[in-house]
Amino acid sequence: MGSVFETAGRALGEVVYQNRNLDQVISYWIAQNKLWEPFDKYQFAVIVEETTRWWRLLNELHDSEFPKFGSHTHNIVAIYTTLTPFGFPEERKIPKHFKKKLQNKLNQLSNNRAIKESIPDWLDELGFKELGEKWPKEIHSLNHKAPIVLRTNLLKTNVQELNNFLKREGYKTKIIPNTHAILLTESANIFKSEAFKLGMFEQQDFSSQQVVPFLNVEPGMRVIDACAGNGGKTLHLASLMNNQGRIIALDTAPWKLEELKRRSRKAGVTNVETKAIETTKTIKRLQDSADRLLIDAPCSGLGVLKRNPDSKWRLTPENIAELRKTQRQILPDLYP
């Protein structure tokens, strides 16, 4: 339907102007361009994700003298690809003196942290207030693409067998020592693997994988996952409990629980019961009924900007304040 360059400019506009979800936009346009080669799809996904991540900085680099490539978002894509080794035909239309001008301006902007790290001013102020001198290192880290980490589904395999299976399929992987996690060391579409189709793993951030073991669950226990969402930690619980016992997965969004059911079937999980939270009675009926309680309370998502760079353009200080109120309602004992 179009070149990678043209489609990337259009997709970026949908993310930043229409507030559409980044992952959904990328998936939609890749599906629409069935004639693209694998490398075209890779380039497209990288460009849309990274121009979203660096949206503020790239806008600061743009000026009225920059050659026109269509819409403003197409110009932003052109600036990004000029500064990175993509080699699109459009780049040849950019005079050498302008490329040098972009680099000089980029150097000048390095003194302003909010612009340099491409975040809203309010977020920079909040981060420094909360973390002090640790903030510059933290936000710099959050601007790097998240590694792909897999969690072994112990109901179907073990970490060594899964790693060997993936290597036979041609994936570059390594086991993270003393864990059930596997790091993908070379970018690839892991969701096309036979191992994924067989439900042998879930993609889950390494930090997220470290939460469930703290519950010290055992087979046969009754566990409540009070904010289950679409079930990443629920499935981890089931894996560690060897499908024995009962897990009650709760959430206020029924559609997320439907996704959890689908994922459970694929993973071979049979000890999960889902319940939509419709009123406070749903919670009260479960009082004193479990051996363990997991609460992954709703949060801003600022800790996962590596994976979701579009969220920093949608969030506001008011959103943060509302989320804190919600957290106080869910965890009143921690907020006297």
Side-chain angles (χ1 to χ4, degrees), residues 101-287:
K101 182 179 179 180
L102 283 175
Q103 192 60 56
N104 290 338
K105 195 170 182 180
L106 186 63
N107 294 336
Q108 293 168 11
L109 293 171
S110 64
N111 294 323
N112 185 315
R113 183 174 59 228
I115 295 176
K116 176 187 174 185
E117 301 294 355
S118 196
I119 54 174
D121 288 332
W122 70 265
L123 177 54
D124 187 49
E125 293 165 7
L126 176 64
F128 191 76
K129 179 182 176 182
E130 297 283 340
L131 297 177
E133 295 303 322
K134 295 180 180 179
W135 172 240
K137 183 178 179 180
E138 183 69 20
I139 187 56
H140 185 71
S141 174
L142 287 172
N143 267 329
H144 288 77
K145 188 174 176 64
I148 296 177
V149 182
L150 314 178
R151 177 182 57 75
T152 307
N153 180 5
L154 299 178
L155 299 176
K156 295 198 172 187
T157 186
N158 61 56
V159 68
Q160 190 63 60
E161 287 179 355
L162 175 59
N163 194 52
N164 292 340
F165 194 108
L166 291 169
K167 285 184 179 297
R168 287 196 297 271
E169 288 195 85
Y171 294 96
K172 307 296 183 182
T173 61
K174 71 174 183 180
I175 297 171
I176 299 177
N178 304 313
T179 73
H180 299 133
I182 291 177
L183 176 69
L184 200 66
T185 58
E186 186 177 291
S187 182
N189 187 351
I190 197 70
F191 301 112
K192 285 191 173 182
S193 69
E194 188 65 21
F196 179 70
K197 295 174 185 176
L198 293 173
M200 296 171 69
F201 69 83
E202 293 282 340
Q203 182 180 349
Q204 187 175 19
D205 285 346
F206 185 59
S207 58
S208 181
Q209 291 190 40
Q210 296 178 80
V211 173
V212 167
F214 278 107
L215 275 74
N216 290 318
V217 292
E218 297 176 5
M221 281 185 171
R222 183 177 170 89
V223 181
I224 295 176
D225 187 350
C227 303
N230 59 12
K233 294 183 180 69
T234 309
L235 299 181
H236 195 179
L237 284 165
S239 180
L240 294 181
M241 292 167 67
N242 197 29
N243 255 346
Q244 298 175 39
R246 203 74 185 154
I247 302 170
I248 312 298
L250 307 175
D251 204 89
T252 56
W255 66 268
K256 291 183 179 180
L257 296 177
E258 288 301 316
E259 174 65 8
L260 169 53
K261 289 179 183 178
R262 184 194 68 78
R263 293 174 70 187
S264 294
R265 289 191 293 270
K266 183 174 184 179
V269 169
T270 58
N271 67 333
V272 171
E273 176 186 350
T274 60
K275 285 182 181 290
I277 302 174
E278 298 174 344
T279 67
T280 55
K281 290 181 180 179
T282 306
I283 304 295
K284 290 178 180 177
R285 292 191 187 105
L286 294 170
Q287 186 171 349

Side-chain angles (χ1 to χ4, degrees), residues 328 331-336:
R328 288 189 181 99
L331 302 165
D333 292 340
L334 298 183
Y335 293 93

Side-chain angles (χ1 to χ4, degrees), residues 61-114:
L61 294 175
H62 185 267
D63 65 32
S64 58
E65 297 177 21
F66 191 76
K68 300 296 184 292
F69 292 95
S71 69
H72 179 67
T73 52
H74 283 94
N75 278 5
I76 294 301
V77 170
I79 291 173
Y80 173 73
T81 55
T82 297
L83 295 170
T84 51
F86 279 91
F88 284 132
E90 289 81 1
E91 293 170 42
R92 292 196 287 271
K93 301 176 185 176
I94 301 174
K96 287 185 178 180
H97 78 273
F98 216 102
K99 294 181 181 181
K100 186 175 181 180
K101 182 179 179 180
L102 283 175
Q103 192 60 56
N104 290 338
K105 195 170 182 180
L106 186 63
N107 294 336
Q108 293 168 11
L109 293 171
S110 64
N111 294 323
N112 185 315
R113 183 174 59 228

